[in-house]
């Protein structure tokens, strides 16, 4: 099940094929990719990241693991030393992360790795496989599932994009208005004038934030992995790795936003009203700045995604997704 809410300002004559930027919904798909490769033995979540990326071990980071990064307890919510506009340059960001000392003792503070989670996970996968994150996501997950979701768009795909309409108070605008704050430091490298429609934004590899796709495709990916758990269907991720990935790591207050949520390895877990995913506490997925929400229900094999191009103000998912989620489960209950 998937749904979308478009304004009239869309760049395609066929809404079914129009791509939207879903912001941090991308984190959930990157996490699925990580768990797929972990299940294949290509990487190990509890091994030091420096095993694959030796430079990362500098400045007291020699013991930090991908497990800690995906749980947002690695103490690396930002990389200082990056100028405005550098977020689009993969190598520049990776060099800065390698030099960065942890802001907190790894394992001690629950602090959302808003931009850095995707870069760190993506570089580990690149070192382990030799393939950049966008190519790897397409080859290993989205391509086989025929899911129209990408990180790093070609010019042809950019022509299919909906025009994003930023709000004055969306989460990234809040960060840019307070550059000295913790959240401001996380997103300082974004360009001052970025409206999430620039060719630089759409074509770059920013795996925490600039995944573009259709709601239908994200719902299909979550349905595929949720159906593995619900029905034992064949799927893209080894069951043991998938179950480890959706296991709760912590629940409570997050440091940078002050919000409360339940955290798995790269996913949010169901916690209304901040992270609503229906009636099942075990549902897992990820929301995105502006109001997008994608998740899977592992008890009934459901995949759901909603993505707007008119962004919501605030740091929660806004007023639009929750009624659609509630309506979805109401319809399912009536059909039984």
């Amino acid at each position: 099940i998937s749904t979308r809410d478009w304004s009239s300002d869309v760049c395609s004559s066929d809404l079914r094929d129009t791509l939207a930027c879903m912001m941090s919904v991308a984190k959930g798909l990157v996490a699925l990719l990580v768990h797929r490769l972990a299940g294949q033995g290509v990487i190990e979540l509890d091994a030091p990241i420096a095993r694959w990326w030796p430079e990362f071990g500098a400045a007291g980071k020699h013991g930090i693991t991908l497990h800690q990064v995906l749980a947002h307890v690695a103490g690396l919510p930002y990389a200082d030393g990056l100028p405005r506009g550098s977020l689009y340059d993969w190598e520049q960001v990776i060099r800065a992360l390698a030099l960065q000392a942890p802001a907190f003792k790894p394992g001690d503070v629950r602090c959302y790795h808003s931009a850095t989670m995707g870069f760190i996970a993506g570089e580990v996968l690149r070192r382990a496989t030799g393939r950049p994150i966008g190519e790897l996501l397409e080859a290993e997950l989205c391509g086989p599932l025929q899911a129209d979701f990408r990180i790093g768009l070609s010019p042809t795909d950019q022509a299919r994009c909906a025009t994003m309409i930023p709000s004055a108070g969306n989460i990234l605008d809040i960060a840019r208005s307070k550059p000295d704050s913790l959240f401001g430091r996380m997103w300082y490298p974004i360009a001052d004038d970025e409206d999430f429609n620039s060719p630089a934004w759409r074509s770059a590899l920013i795996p925490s934030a600039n995944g573009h796709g259709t709601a239908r495709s994200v719902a299909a990916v979550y349905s595929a992995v949720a159906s593995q758990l619900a029905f034992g269907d064949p799927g893209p991720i080894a069951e043991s790795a998938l179950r480890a990935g959706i296991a709760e790591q912590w629940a409570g207050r997050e440091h940078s936003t002050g919000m409360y949520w339940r955290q798995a390895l790269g996913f949010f877990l169901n916690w209304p009203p901040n992270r609503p995913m229906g009636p099942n506490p075990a549902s897992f997925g990820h929301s995105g700045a502006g109001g997008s929400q994608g998740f899977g229900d592992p008890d009934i094999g459901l995949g759901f995604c909603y993505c707007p191009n008119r962004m919501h103000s605030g740091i929660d998912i806004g007023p639009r997704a929750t009624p659609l989620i509630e309506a979805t489960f109401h319809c399912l209950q009536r059909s039984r």
Side-chain angles (χ1 to χ4, degrees):
I1 293 174
S2 64
T3 182
R4 290 183 294 183
D5 173 36
W6 303 109
S7 79
S8 60
D9 190 5
V10 177
C11 301
S12 172
S13 60
D14 184 354
L15 289 178
R16 292 179 60 85
D17 294 324
T18 302
L19 306 178
C21 182
M22 300 189 203
M23 301 297 180
S24 287
V25 168
K27 287 187 176 75
L29 274 75
V30 169
L32 290 172
L33 178 62
V34 168
H35 296 307
R36 171 174 168 80
L37 295 183
Q40 295 174 342
V42 176
I43 57 172
E44 296 177 33
L45 300 190
D46 291 315
I49 289 172
R51 174 190 294 184
W52 297 277
W53 180 6
E55 302 92 331
F56 182 84
K61 303 192 301 300
H62 54 278
I64 290 178
T65 66
L66 201 50
H67 187 291
Q68 291 174 317
V69 172
L70 295 175
H72 299 280
V73 296
L76 291 169
Y78 52 77
D80 285 328
L82 287 168
R84 289 285 193 192
S86 60
L87 191 69
Y88 317 100
D89 184 336
W90 184 273
E91 294 297 339
Q92 193 170 0
V93 174
I94 293 309
R95 287 194 297 270
L97 282 167
L99 295 172
Q100 181 69 39
F104 314 105
K105 182 180 177 182
D108 277 11
V109 178
R110 305 162 178 172
C111 186
Y112 189 45
H113 289 39
S114 184
T116 57
M117 188 203 104
F119 282 108
I120 296 171
E123 184 64 7
V124 171
L125 297 185
R126 186 171 77 100
R127 300 278 179 134
T129 68
R131 306 173 82 175
I133 184 70
E135 178 183 318
L136 199 59
L137 183 68
E138 173 65 18
E140 293 287 333
L141 190 65
C142 293
L145 293 175
Q146 298 183 321
D148 196 1
F149 185 93
R150 294 168 176 78
I151 295 172
L153 296 184
S154 68
T156 299
D157 285 332
Q158 290 189 46
R160 297 195 287 133
C161 284
T163 298
M164 300 303 293
I165 305 173
S167 65
N170 73 70
I171 195 166
L172 296 184
D173 281 343
I174 292 170
R176 287 187 292 197
S177 70
K178 300 177 180 179
D180 294 329
S181 68
L182 180 57
F183 217 75
R185 292 173 78 178
M186 293 180 190
W187 286 101
Y188 186 85
I190 197 170
D192 268 328
D193 60 350
E194 184 58 71
D195 63 357
F196 315 120
N197 296 304
S198 72
W201 174 264
R202 289 174 173 174
S203 62
L205 298 177
I206 308 173
S208 282
N210 80 334
H212 290 73
T214 66
R216 185 184 317 102
S217 291
V218 172
V221 171
Y222 276 113
S223 179
V225 294
S227 294
Q228 285 187 249
L229 302 179
F231 312 121
D233 291 349
I237 303 171
E239 183 176 341
S240 58
L242 182 55
R243 290 196 180 279
I246 66 173
E248 183 177 301
Q249 303 299 304
W250 54 265
R253 184 179 184 275
E254 188 276 330
H255 182 72
S256 68
T257 64
M259 294 181 70
Y260 289 76
W261 67 64
R262 296 168 60 225
Q263 181 69 48
L265 291 179
F267 311 104
F268 293 135
L269 298 175
N270 193 8
W271 192 338
N274 290 337
R275 299 293 181 266
M277 303 180 197
N280 183 2
S283 291
F284 62 98
H286 218 289
S287 56
S292 295
Q293 176 76 318
F295 68 88
D297 184 321
D299 287 355
I300 61 173
L302 173 78
F304 176 98
C305 184
Y306 163 77
C307 63
N309 68 317
R310 185 180 295 277
M311 299 179 73
H312 159 70
S313 293
I315 60 175
D316 58 3
I317 69 165
R320 295 169 293 184
T322 299
L324 292 168
I325 294 168
E326 291 173 350
T328 297
F329 284 94
H330 178 69
C331 291
L332 290 171
Q333 290 168 357
R334 292 192 64 181
S335 68
R336 291 178 179 176

